[in-house]
Amino acid sequence: MTDGTTQPATIRPFATAVLLASALALAACGGKKGPEAVTQQTAVTTIGVNSYLWRASLETLQFMPLSQVDSAGGVIVGEWYQNPNIPNERVKVTVAILDGALRADAVQVSAQREVMQDGRWVAAPVRAGTVQKLEEIILERARTLRQASLAR
């Protein structure tokens, strides 16, 4: 049954409710600032950390599977990696990019190491200098990426 429009009478109240809810939602955006807010939201598509450090970190950890990659928060968590040449040892690496600047204190690496003892994995100390060496590799690669982009 229709009332002279193209919509059945039962659909019109629902459509009116949807339009009213949409209008209220738009009004809550702040009136004139609505389009600017939408523009600012769509502009947030870049990563939240230094892009050179981010790319360098991903390239440095490409040898291991990754369990978490959060470009907005700047965190990369690797899965346990077992070198085929050392079957009774495995390592797990986490990289955190702490700043938008390309600085040495903007990257933090942590590592865990386990060794196989009596058929189970047991925590073991990470070899001295491993974390520092990974940080140096990441920083050097980030500097190289930056220099290459400036040369273009």
Side-chain angles (χ1 to χ4, degrees), residues 40-99:
Q40 289 173 356
Q41 288 173 357
T42 57
V44 184
T45 57
T46 59
I47 63 174
V49 295
N50 183 280
S51 62
Y52 302 115
L53 287 173
W54 181 254
R55 273 187 50 204
S57 298
L58 287 174
E59 289 177 14
T60 301
L61 297 181
Q62 70 183 350
F63 67 93
M64 70 172 42
L66 303 177
S67 65
Q68 180 183 356
V69 179
D70 178 10
S71 62
V75 177
I76 302 169
V77 180
E79 291 281 346
W80 285 106
Y81 171 74
Q82 192 171 354
N83 184 336
N85 298 329
I86 311 171
N88 63 339
E89 176 183 294
R90 66 183 187 174
V91 294
K92 186 176 189 175
V93 177
T94 301
V95 177
I97 311 296
L98 306 172
D99 196 357

Side-chain angles (χ1 to χ4, degrees), residues 49-50 52-54 56-58 60-61 74 76 93-110 131-140 142-143:
V49 295
N50 183 280
Y52 302 115
L53 287 173
W54 181 254
S57 298
L58 287 174
T60 301
L61 297 181
I76 302 169
V93 177
T94 301
V95 177
I97 311 296
L98 306 172
D99 196 357
L102 179 53
R103 302 184 334 207
D105 61 351
V107 62
Q108 181 179 24
V109 175
S110 61
V131 169
Q132 292 80 12
K133 183 66 176 170
L134 283 170
E135 287 176 353
E136 289 172 10
I137 292 169
I138 291 169
L139 285 166
E140 183 60 35
R143 288 183 190 116

Side-chain angles (χ1 to χ4, degrees), residues 145-152:
L145 290 169
R146 182 174 182 272
Q147 289 171 349
S149 72
L150 292 175
R152 291 183 212 168

Side-chain angles (χ1 to χ4, degrees), residues 107-126:
V107 62
Q108 181 179 24
V109 175
S110 61
Q112 298 172 330
R113 180 175 166 255
E114 291 182 345
V115 294
M116 181 68 78
Q117 289 182 354
D118 300 323
R120 61 188 187 115
W121 292 106
V122 178
V126 177

